[in-house]
Amino acid sequence: MKKLIILTALLIATTNIFAQNVDLRRKIEVTGVAEQEVTPDIINISISLQEYINGKTKVTIDQLENQLENAVKNAGVAKSDFTINNISAFNNTWQKKKTPDFLASKQYNLRLTDLNKFDQIISAVDPKGIQSTNIESYDYSKIDQLKNELKLKALISARDKAAYLLNGIGDRLGDALNITETDNSNFPQPRIMEYKAVGMAAAAPAESDIDFKTIKLSFSVDAIFEIVK
């Protein structure tokens, strides 16, 4: 009998604890969305230079690099926005001795905020020494601020939607119980802007078409609100 009383007491206590943990509040779950398109104002470009033979004379990577450095400087680009990305056998003395005609190459990263400067820079470099120029990525200088603004707009949209729906059935919107955000933004894909194989005849620089696709920032917010009478 004593064991039965104890067991019954434990069952009652367990039931009470379980009941206390069950959230019996009425809720509504909605999704709010906020989007905006912006034109990138920062572009990251890779430039690959390679030595080439002009008749019996080798145009060295040092000569090409000097041209590029001067062009970048004349365009007013900060030193921190012009860096070496990769060196292909540039310091490989063994390779150079084994193959005297070996042509070294170097890759550089260029970060531009004035997108019209690309043509100015690339036209000041010997076109025969330009192996390739690629867009690596795009960016927007105020992207963090804009992301925060869109997240807030999406949350407000969710709140307003929930309030409108509840008002239609005579209920009121309570506190937010849970908020989950999702980033659905879409950045334009990097692409090859221009290609010049080593040994090609000199040509005028290709026209820049950097008036490109926009960045689409999109955020959705799933929010759960309490329903109150």
Side-chain angles (χ1 to χ4, degrees), residues 42-47 68-69 71-73 75-85 107-114 117-122 133-137:
I42 297 174
I43 180 172
N44 295 299
I45 302 172
S46 69
I47 301 174
L68 182 58
E69 285 181 341
V72 170
K73 182 179 179 181
V77 177
K79 288 184 178 180
S80 58
D81 291 334
F82 176 62
T83 57
I84 296 176
N85 181 38
Q107 287 76 47
Y108 308 83
N109 283 335
L110 184 61
R111 182 178 176 87
L112 296 177
T113 53
D114 182 351
K117 290 184 177 180
F118 174 73
D119 282 346
Q120 176 187 343
I121 292 171
I122 212 68
T133 58
N134 303 329
I135 293 177
E136 295 296 323
S137 63

Side-chain angles (χ1 to χ4, degrees), residues 105-152:
S105 63
K106 267 189 178 184
Q107 287 76 47
Y108 308 83
N109 283 335
L110 184 61
R111 182 178 176 87
L112 296 177
T113 53
D114 182 351
L115 305 183
N116 295 317
K117 290 184 177 180
F118 174 73
D119 282 346
Q120 176 187 343
I121 292 171
I122 212 68
S123 63
V125 180
D126 184 347
K128 292 182 180 179
I130 300 174
Q131 190 177 41
S132 65
T133 58
N134 303 329
I135 293 177
E136 295 296 323
S137 63
Y138 306 95
D139 207 346
Y140 180 63
S141 56
K142 297 180 181 179
I143 197 165
D144 290 335
Q145 175 185 337
L146 184 55
K147 282 182 176 182
N148 289 334
E149 291 173 357
L150 290 174
K151 290 175 186 177
L152 182 57

Side-chain angles (χ1 to χ4, degrees), residues 32-70:
V33 178
E35 298 178 337
Q36 185 171 334
E37 291 189 3
V38 294
T39 300
D41 58 2
I42 297 174
I43 180 172
N44 295 299
I45 302 172
S46 69
I47 301 174
S48 180
L49 302 180
Q50 186 170 33
E51 297 176 332
Y52 71 95
I53 305 299
N54 185 15
K56 294 184 178 181
T57 305
K58 176 186 284 189
V59 178
T60 67
I61 202 72
D62 287 336
Q63 293 172 288
L64 297 171
E65 184 175 71
N66 286 336
Q67 292 176 11
L68 182 58
E69 285 181 341
N70 289 333

